[in-house]
Amino acid sequence: MIMSNTFTQDTVFSIYENQESKFLTPFQRKALLKHLQNNLQPEYRRRIEIMLMADIGKSQTQICEILGCSQEMARYWIGIAEAGLAHKWNERPIGRPKIVNAQYLERLRELVSNSPRDYGYAFTYWTAQWLSKHLAAELGIEISDRHINRLLKQMGLSTKRKSSQPKPANPIEDAGITIGDLQTTSKPSFNWSINS
C-alpha cells in the first residue's frame, strides 16, 4: 500500500505535524510537506515521503513496507535527509542516466567503418570490447561491450566482417575440390618415373 494513494492530504499533514522531527529542520519539513501538495511524479513523491517518514522515526524496513520501495532507495533518501540535504529531493534525475549521446553514437559509427589500424592498433578488426575501451579513453564514457553490441545492432552495424565470397545456395555442390591452372615462370620438367 502506497501512502500517497491511501491517505488524504490532510491526513498526511496531521501525521507529520504531530510528530517530533528527528533530523529535518522545521523549514525543511514545511517545504517537503508543501511539495507533497503539488502534482508530482510518483518517484519524486516517494522520495519526499521516505524522508518525512524517516524523520518521524520510521525504520527503513517499515518505510519499504508502507511505500513499496526498495531497501536501496529508502537507504539513499534517508541518508540524504539525515545529511541535511532534503532540499535536493528533485536534483537527482529519475531513472538510469542516459550517458550515450549523439556524439558517442556518431563516433562509434565512424570507428566501426574504419580499421583499428587507422587508430594505431595492431589488429585489423574491431571487437566490442576494444570499441568500448577506445571510446572510454576518447570520450570518457564507459559502457559494457554488451551494450556496444546492442548499440551496433540498433544502428544496423556489426564488428563481424562479412565474407567476400557469396555462400553457395546448396552446400553439397560446393563440397568438391576445384582444380585450376597454375601459372609458373619456370620451364616444365617431365622427368617422371613410373614404377610398376
Side-chain angles (χ1 to χ4, degrees), residues 21-25 28-29 32 47-61 63 71-89:
S21 180
K22 288 183 73 177
F23 38 78
L24 294 177
T25 66
Q28 287 175 322
R29 181 186 263 198
L32 290 177
R47 291 174 182 184
I48 292 172
E49 291 172 337
I50 289 169
M51 289 189 284
L52 289 170
M53 292 180 113
D55 188 50
I56 62 171
K58 298 284 185 196
S59 71
Q60 180 178 315
T61 304
I63 292 170
Q71 294 281 336
E72 293 80 16
M73 182 180 194
R75 185 179 320 114
Y76 180 84
W77 290 104
I78 290 169
I80 291 293
E82 288 175 346
L85 302 172
H87 60 283
K88 296 189 177 230
W89 63 271

Side-chain angles (χ1 to χ4, degrees), residues 44-174:
Y44 284 133
R45 177 173 291 282
R46 189 170 294 140
R47 291 174 182 184
I48 292 172
E49 291 172 337
I50 289 169
M51 289 189 284
L52 289 170
M53 292 180 113
D55 188 50
I56 62 171
K58 298 284 185 196
S59 71
Q60 180 178 315
T61 304
Q62 291 171 321
I63 292 170
C64 290
E65 287 174 5
I66 294 168
L67 297 179
C69 65
S70 69
Q71 294 281 336
E72 293 80 16
M73 182 180 194
R75 185 179 320 114
Y76 180 84
W77 290 104
I78 290 169
I80 291 293
E82 288 175 346
L85 302 172
H87 60 283
K88 296 189 177 230
W89 63 271
N90 62 348
E91 288 185 14
R92 186 169 177 206
I94 294 173
R96 173 181 261 173
K98 184 172 178 149
I99 58 172
V100 175
N101 54 24
Q103 177 192 12
Y104 189 95
L105 294 175
E106 186 56 39
R107 186 64 175 142
L108 177 60
R109 182 183 303 278
E110 185 181 329
L111 290 172
V112 170
S113 57
N114 293 304
S115 170
R117 290 190 176 188
D118 297 341
Y119 302 95
Y121 295 106
F123 46 90
T124 55
Y125 300 113
W126 286 108
T127 63
Q129 184 178 17
W130 273 106
L131 285 166
S132 176
K133 286 180 184 180
H134 183 88
L135 287 164
E138 192 174 294
L139 300 175
I141 298 173
E142 294 183 29
I143 63 172
S144 72
D145 51 335
R146 291 178 67 191
H147 192 61
I148 290 283
N149 282 327
R150 278 193 295 272
L151 292 173
L152 289 172
K153 187 175 182 180
Q154 288 171 1
M155 294 189 296
L157 300 171
S158 173
T159 57
K160 308 281 186 264
R161 291 289 163 214
K162 293 178 182 166
S163 175
S164 58
Q165 296 179 348
K167 291 186 179 180
N170 185 352
I172 296 174
E173 291 175 6
D174 197 43

